[in-house]
Amino acid sequence: MRRSASRKTGQSNSTDSADPFLSASGKASSKEMERIDNLFYTYANRSSGVIDPEGIEALCSDLEVNHTDVRVLMLAWKMKAEKQGYFTLEEWRRGLKSLRADNVNKLKKSLPELEKEVKRPSNFMDFYAYSFRYCLTEEKQKSVDIESVCELLDLVLGSQCRAQVDYFIEYLKVQTDYKVINMDQWMGFFRFCNEAYMHQSAETCPCKKNICCLYSDLEFSFARTFLGTDFFVKVEVYI
C-alpha cells in the first residue's frame, strides 16, 4: 500500500515538472489578477464593496481624464458595467484583464487602443446602443429625457458626425412634441446616419463604411422608415 501511494505521488510530481510553462503561466495569471484586484480596492467603497461615483472620480483623476470624457464611457462598455457610476469587482476584472492593465499607468496607456477598438464599425453600433442603456438608471426605465439625450449624442457621436448631430440637437431643443427618447428612436437616428447620402469620408465617421452626411438639404421624414413614428416629420420644415 505504501509503495502504491509512493508511485502515485511520484506520478503527480512528474506531471507537474513536465509542464513548467503551464505552471509558470498559471502563477503569472494569478499574480496579474491579484494586482487587478488590489487596484480595484484602491478605489472601491469599503462599505459597499464597489467603485462608486466618488471612486470613479478618483480613478479619472489618476488617469488624467475628465469624468465626463467619452473614454470613461468606453471603459464602462469594455467592463460591461450595468449600473451607471458603479463598477463591481467582476466588471473591473473583466475590463482590465481584457485591456491587460494591472496598474494605473497601463490602464492609462490602454485608452488610445480602447478608442480605436470602439470606433471600429463592428463595435461602434454596440457601443452606441450601450451608451443609451447605461443612462437607464431606474428600474423599468425605457426612455431618457431630451436634455440628457442631447448631451449623450454630443458625447458619443459629436466628434465623428458633427454636422448631423448639431442639426438634430438643435431641433430637439426647440421642438415641443417629445420630452423623452426611447431606444428605438435612439437607434433610429444612428440608422438614419448610416443610410443617408455620403458627404464625409469614412475615415471621420465610425457609423458604417462611407456613409455619413451633412444633411441640411435632406428630407428628415426619410427617417420615419427606420423609426416607425412621425418623429422627424417637422424637422424638414424647421431646417
Side-chain angles (χ1 to χ4, degrees), residues 90-152:
E90 181 182 356
E91 292 165 350
W92 181 264
R93 284 174 171 175
R94 181 189 298 126
L96 269 67
K97 187 170 179 62
S98 179
L99 293 170
R100 298 180 179 178
D102 56 12
N103 60 52
V104 171
N105 287 334
K106 288 182 181 179
L107 184 55
K108 184 177 179 180
K109 290 178 181 179
S110 74
L111 294 180
E113 286 302 316
L114 178 58
E115 283 189 84
K116 292 179 182 178
E117 179 184 353
V118 169
K119 291 180 179 180
R120 292 186 195 124
S122 58
N123 292 327
F124 190 79
M125 186 172 183
D126 183 68
F127 171 70
Y128 182 83
Y130 171 84
S131 68
F132 187 88
R133 292 194 302 271
Y134 196 58
C135 287
L136 302 177
T137 56
E138 303 295 331
E139 188 177 356
K140 296 183 179 180
Q141 182 181 350
K142 294 183 178 180
S143 57
V144 177
D145 65 275
I146 293 294
E147 183 178 354
S148 297
V149 163
C150 290
E151 292 175 358
L152 191 60

